[in-house]
Amino acid sequence: MFRNITPIVKNLLLINVGIFLVSAFLFPQISGMFALYYIHSSYFQPFQFLTYMFMHADFWHLFSNMFGLLIFGPLLEQFLGPKKLLILWMTCGVGSGVLYSGYTSYRMANLQDKVAAFQTDPDPDTFNKIVLENRGFFDRAIFDFVDDYSRNPTDQVKISRASQTLDAILEIQGNVPMVGASGALFGVLIAFAMLFPNTQLFLLFPPMPVKAKYLVLFYGLYTIYNVLINNPTDNVAHFAHLGGLIIGGVLVYFWKKDRNSFY
């Protein structure tokens, strides 16, 4: 595998691993600086649309993205050429960050409307619904408070605490960063499936062969499912994965129409 590694894939691997080592052991503060934040966050900077894809949360996050690049990238680079593989990787990475930011803005606006509605007309049922929709950001003690508040809906102290709790959730949600090259990797996956659809891949779990087009179809459907259910306890940016699939698919579609564009 390593003997057949191609130049762009090798350089991307070295850059991502190098930055991870620097951020993990020498300058951990750069992870927060270069991650991608909600565009209305005080931590947001436009350059984060580029830099976030070189940050990773931990070793296994890095390993999964780089392993995927190592498996699918070399053949794509040989077929498309180094320039187009780099365009594919960077465009899907940056583009999925932009799309995810739009999705985050929509979700934040929706949450802000719900919080404003509660603060205008405090109601335990409304508070409980917001808590359930964002339960991944609370510890279990919040449900004791929900129960207590439900029994005392006119208690001004409890209303004030509920309002402050929702303000805190807005602050937390607005400052959750996104990191990782998963959007770029999903662009590579869809490109591989579109260009080599019948290539047999052997899975480790479960140990069985599967064609590339079916594997990517499964990933795509699984990603859409997770976007739709929007599990509040799930910290994976599934919409960024979906963005990578869409952008990569569009790029390869136009490249396939213009066969002279291939290397």
Side-chain angles (χ1 to χ4, degrees):
M1 181 186 299
F2 290 100
R3 284 201 303 266
N4 297 326
I5 193 169
T6 47
I8 294 298
V9 171
K10 179 180 70 174
N11 288 331
L12 287 172
L13 289 172
L14 290 174
I15 291 169
N16 279 274
V17 171
I19 290 176
F20 176 77
L21 293 175
V22 169
S23 64
F25 299 106
L26 296 178
F27 303 104
Q29 65 272 20
I30 70 173
S31 293
M33 183 186 306
F34 294 130
L36 178 59
Y37 289 87
Y38 169 53
I39 58 175
H40 293 300
S41 167
S42 59
Y43 301 111
F44 171 74
Q45 297 291 337
F47 62 73
Q48 293 168 356
F49 286 121
L50 173 65
T51 58
Y52 89 95
M53 58 189 289
F54 295 101
M55 302 290 112
H56 287 85
D58 53 39
F59 170 78
W60 291 110
H61 187 205
L62 173 74
F63 177 81
S64 62
N65 283 332
M66 295 303 101
F67 183 72
L69 174 62
L70 185 61
I71 294 297
F72 298 101
L75 183 57
L76 276 177
E77 184 171 348
Q78 291 170 10
F79 185 78
L80 293 173
K83 180 180 178 181
K84 277 198 165 46
L85 179 69
L86 183 60
I87 290 173
L88 176 70
W89 182 265
M90 297 302 294
T91 302
C92 290
V94 174
S96 63
V98 172
L99 291 179
Y100 182 76
S101 291
Y103 174 66
T104 302
S105 296
Y106 166 77
R107 288 177 54 246
M108 285 298 299
N110 189 38
L111 178 59
Q112 288 166 350
D113 289 344
K114 291 178 179 179
V115 171
F118 169 81
Q119 292 174 340
T120 300
D121 183 19
D123 176 71
D125 290 337
T126 302
F127 179 72
N128 185 39
K129 184 177 180 181
I130 297 174
V131 168
L132 289 175
E133 290 173 347
N134 298 274
R135 59 188 178 274
F137 295 92
F138 296 96
D139 58 34
R140 296 191 62 84
I142 190 64
F143 296 105
D144 293 331
F145 173 71
V146 168
D147 186 53
D148 192 19
Y149 178 31
S150 297
R151 291 196 298 267
N152 302 275
T154 60
D155 187 319
Q156 290 302 312
V157 173
K158 291 179 174 55
I159 291 173
S160 177
R161 179 181 169 186
S163 180
Q164 291 171 3
T165 299
L166 296 183
D167 283 337
I169 288 303
L170 280 174
E171 179 71 17
I172 293 170
Q173 288 248 39
N175 291 297
V176 174
M178 182 178 75
V179 295
S182 298
L185 177 62
F186 270 70
V188 165
L189 291 178
I190 190 67
F192 191 94
M194 291 175 69
L195 295 172
F196 310 105
N198 296 313
T199 299
Q200 291 277 0
L201 304 170
F202 195 85
L203 303 180
L204 296 178
F205 304 104
M208 59 176 288
V210 61
K211 290 184 178 181
K213 60 185 178 183
Y214 297 132
L215 179 63
V216 174
L217 176 62
F218 168 78
Y219 272 123
L221 293 176
Y222 177 73
T223 298
I224 293 171
Y225 167 76
N226 280 285
V227 169
L228 292 176
I229 65 170
N230 191 26
N231 185 348
T233 63
D234 189 350
N235 63 355
V236 177
H238 294 288
F239 196 87
H241 298 177
L242 182 61
L245 285 173
I246 293 171
I247 295 169
V250 170
L251 267 177
V252 174
Y253 172 78
F254 283 106
W255 285 345
K256 287 181 72 174
K257 286 186 68 175
D258 180 14
R259 295 187 179 275
N260 292 328
S261 69
F262 290 126
Y263 178 73

